[in-house]
Amino acid sequence: MSADALPHAAWRAARLRALAILAAFALPWLVALAACAQRFGGRTSALLAVGIGLLLLGFIAVVQWRHRDVRWLLRALNARSDMEDSADLLAAPPAGGALRQLQRQRLQQRLAARPADLRLGWPWPRLAASTLAAALLLASALLWPPPAAEVSDGVVPATPAARSPLRLTFSQLQLISPRYTGLPTRRVSALSASAPQGTQLRWTLAFNGTPDRVALIFLDGRRLPLQPRDGGWQADLRLDASALYRIELDGRLQDAGKPYRLDALPDRPPQLKVLAPDRSLSIAPPGQPGWELAFEVEDDYGVATQATLQLTLAQGSGEDITFRELSLPLQGQGASLRRRFSHRVALAALGLQAGDDLIARLVARDNRGPQPQLVRSPALILRLQAAASEEPSGIEGVVKRVLPAYFRSQRQIILDAEALLKQRPKLAAERYLQKSDALGVDQRILRLRYGQFLGEEAEDGPTLPTADASGHDAEDGGDHAGHDHPAPAPATTFGQDVDLLETYGHTHDHADAATLLDPQTRATLKLALDQMWQSELQLRQGHPERALPFAYKALGYIKQVQQAERIYLARVGPQLPPIDEGRRLGGKREGLAPRPDPLRAAPPNDADIAALWQQLDAAPARAVPTQSLAALQAGLRRHGQRAADPLALQAALDALQRDPACAACRDHLRALLWPLLPTPPAAVARRPAPDAQGQRYLDALDAEAKR
């Protein structure tokens, strides 16, 4: 069959006119039905009604389109008188008899002279009536009072039992992550979610009716009301900390008060790794041109492209050390989550000399906004070794070949303590105590170094080698033949040059026999050591602010010792004043003031947890006091981060508060409180009860003792 001679334009216009008439009848009714479903069934019912209506309308349109096929077209053309019931020839193949071809040409000429119009006419009366009926239905749905609406003044509102209970029919939680994370915006239907700290949350809720008020009730006491917007209820909140919340409708909690979780994932600080050099203290031989430094920084959301290399040049010795600081910007290489920073320090350009120290530290940051997190590398020290001018011999050669151990000066300890005080608000309590304790260790090392000049015992000082096992040379026949010395170490190691003085000076841990200094200088140095001891005590206890006054006094005494001009080399000890025998063991207490005991019992920080544990361990029929649960709830807000899952602990505590008779809730809370119980103090273990044989033995001993 050939359809080339058919009037295709008229055919398509007829089909489109039929679809337009169908849409004109159906669309007003579809809008009215959607409004009715929205009013009586909620937003979900309206969407469902619209979807079903569109599917039905599409099915009818397809049926009408297929109904107007070629046969329908030929019947419509044969309805014209000039077609002479021969329209089928237009759809037949051109081959045939001469009479058929002649009739076909005549029909084509007639269609060209007067084109066919097969479109249906608009049924205006019926269309107007249908549209008016749909409009009336739509107005009725819009003006019909909602189920939860109250009537005018003077009429008693419907009781809750007379209307259907409100329930949640649609929920959406939009999570807009901070820009620095690079995470896309998410939309989830669940009301519990985990998101980076600082994420902007937006709730969109819909119900099967119209409540008067909707709010989110957080377990920490906050209340977030929702506002009606775009056919639903919406609220916005910034997620700064993990929390639990519930949905409240007209003063009633939904889902039996089940709390929903919001987990705030904190942004971890960058992790820094030193690639080169492979040690914290490097010794540079004379003539070394440069120093290679390489670091790798990794972060969960990205590392900043630029970091700062801090260089500190220390020149001088003892307390006369000058410091010069430089900052060099470094450009990172690699991906955003892991960058590599490298630099070659030109030693000659910095003016380093033999014996100087170069301290390097990298400061990197992440992309967190508005305040990035910083990470500092450990201090890397490069020491320039001095070139030996001549070949030494004897004891001098041993001393010259040994480099002094690296330890902090008193001024550096003061600077570090002041810097630690400035960092105290940013550091955790344990980290602050560790840094303060490290400064106390440095203060102890410095005190022992200066204490060797007074003959004090070097607690960790190694023994230096000598020629024989007795600690003296074979040719030593002086006044020291009667002394006993410890066995020498097998080899000379790094940092033992001061021990040579201790070994060959024969101070023997006796302060009055150390006569390298005059009595006045030795007394000043002893005062400095006392102040160092007090500074060390406060630093080890985590109180650098109390240690600073003692550290400053120790620095002042050290400066006085450095200005001493004479050395007293007496070989005998000082003459002590005679002891007044009349005052010994007299028992007199005149002038003695009572000194209160500074030790106080530490308050039990976990008393609430221990008390609640004991109450939960009681019989289930016994209700837990409300004040105990409230006290524990307040304690968890202060230091609840000690728990592995603080939100689970708060949820378990809240469940027991709402249902004190719930045995499962009680057991679950006891299981979560178990890791938080304080460690019991050490006590003497009770002697185990003897068995039958042991008891007979003890009875025999008692019988023998009574004889």
Side-chain angles (χ1 to χ4, degrees), residues 36 82 84 97 178 251 258 284 410 472 480 557 585 612 696:
C36 293
D82 57 350
E84 299 177 354
K258 175 186 176 182
Q410 187 64 29
H472 300 278
H480 310 295
Y557 289 135
L585 303 178
L612 181 59
R696 289 196 302 270

Side-chain angles (χ1 to χ4, degrees), residues 203-472:
W203 285 269
T204 302
L205 306 179
F207 306 93
N208 60 341
T210 305
D212 294 337
R213 60 185 183 276
V214 182
L216 303 181
I217 308 300
F218 291 85
L219 265 65
D220 56 5
R222 292 179 296 167
R223 180 185 181 89
L224 180 63
L226 278 74
Q227 304 298 331
R229 192 183 310 160
D230 298 337
W233 295 79
Q234 294 185 359
D236 297 335
L237 179 68
R238 176 185 169 91
L239 183 60
D240 293 326
S242 301
L244 295 172
Y245 73 98
R246 301 189 186 94
I247 300 177
E248 183 185 73
L249 294 178
D250 296 337
R252 298 190 303 272
L253 298 178
Q254 293 295 302
D255 296 337
K258 175 186 176 182
Y260 301 99
R261 292 176 59 111
L262 293 177
D263 292 300
L265 306 178
D267 185 6
R268 296 179 302 170
Q271 305 296 322
L272 190 145
K273 182 170 61 175
V274 180
L275 301 181
D278 57 353
R279 62 192 67 184
S280 59
L281 177 60
S282 303
I283 306 300
Q288 179 174 333
W291 187 28
E292 295 290 344
L293 298 174
F295 307 89
E296 186 180 73
V297 185
E298 185 178 359
D299 189 70
D300 47 359
Y301 295 121
V303 184
T305 57
Q306 194 175 66
T308 302
L309 180 62
Q310 297 178 351
L311 299 177
T312 303
L313 176 61
Q315 294 178 316
S317 61
E319 293 295 329
D320 296 329
I321 299 179
T322 60
F323 296 93
R324 184 159 55 96
E325 296 184 354
L326 299 175
S327 296
L328 301 177
L330 299 184
Q331 201 70 19
Q333 300 175 355
S336 174
L337 300 181
R338 180 179 298 176
R339 297 189 186 275
R340 177 187 176 95
F341 299 89
S342 58
H343 183 70
R344 178 180 176 85
V345 182
L347 303 181
L350 296 178
L352 292 176
Q353 300 177 1
D356 294 346
D357 289 349
L358 179 61
I359 305 173
R361 176 174 291 178
L362 182 72
V363 179
R365 58 183 56 86
D366 60 4
N367 293 326
R368 190 182 72 172
Q371 185 66 29
Q373 298 184 101
L374 301 180
V375 60
R376 291 178 174 86
S377 68
L380 304 175
I381 306 171
L382 177 68
R383 176 166 299 158
L384 272 67
Q385 183 179 5
S389 59
E390 59 182 5
E391 184 67 23
S393 61
I395 299 302
E396 296 180 356
V398 176
V399 175
K400 287 184 179 181
R401 283 196 297 267
V402 178
L403 291 176
Y406 177 79
F407 59 94
R408 297 177 184 265
S409 63
Q410 187 64 29
R411 181 184 291 106
Q412 186 63 35
I413 291 177
I414 293 175
L415 295 177
D416 291 346
E418 292 176 346
L420 181 60
L421 287 176
K422 295 179 181 179
Q423 299 175 359
R424 183 173 186 176
K426 303 179 182 179
L427 297 177
E430 297 183 359
R431 183 61 178 166
Y432 180 78
L433 182 59
Q434 291 177 359
K435 286 181 172 289
S436 180
D437 183 70
L439 287 179
V441 173
D442 294 338
Q443 182 69 84
R444 169 181 171 273
I445 296 175
L446 186 61
R447 177 178 59 82
L448 293 178
R449 294 290 180 180
Y450 281 107
Q452 292 180 358
F453 293 99
L454 295 181
E456 293 186 357
E457 178 183 0
E459 300 176 6
D460 297 328
T463 305
L464 291 180
T466 54
D468 57 357
S470 63
H472 300 278

Side-chain angles (χ1 to χ4, degrees), residues 493-511:
T493 57
F494 178 82
Q496 297 177 348
D497 55 331
V498 185
D499 297 327
L500 287 172
L501 178 62
E502 180 183 356
T503 302
Y504 290 93
H506 295 284
T507 57
H508 293 279
D509 299 335
H510 193 275

Side-chain angles (χ1 to χ4, degrees), residues 1 20 30 46 75 117 183 197 208 217 243 279 283 320 327 424 495 513 537 568 603 617:
M1 179 181 293
L30 188 60
R75 287 196 303 269
D117 186 5
L183 299 177
Q197 194 172 15
N208 60 341
I217 308 300
R279 62 192 67 184
I283 306 300
D320 296 329
S327 296
R424 183 173 186 176
L537 177 63
Y568 180 64
D617 198 20

Side-chain angles (χ1 to χ4, degrees), residues 44 106-107 114 141 151 191 196 229 253 264 268 270 275 327 335 337 425 433 440 477 484 489 491 616 663:
T44 304
R106 292 176 60 188
L107 295 179
R114 188 165 67 91
V151 296
L191 294 176
R229 192 183 310 160
L253 298 178
R268 296 179 302 170
L275 301 181
S327 296
L337 300 181
L433 182 59
D484 294 329
L616 291 174

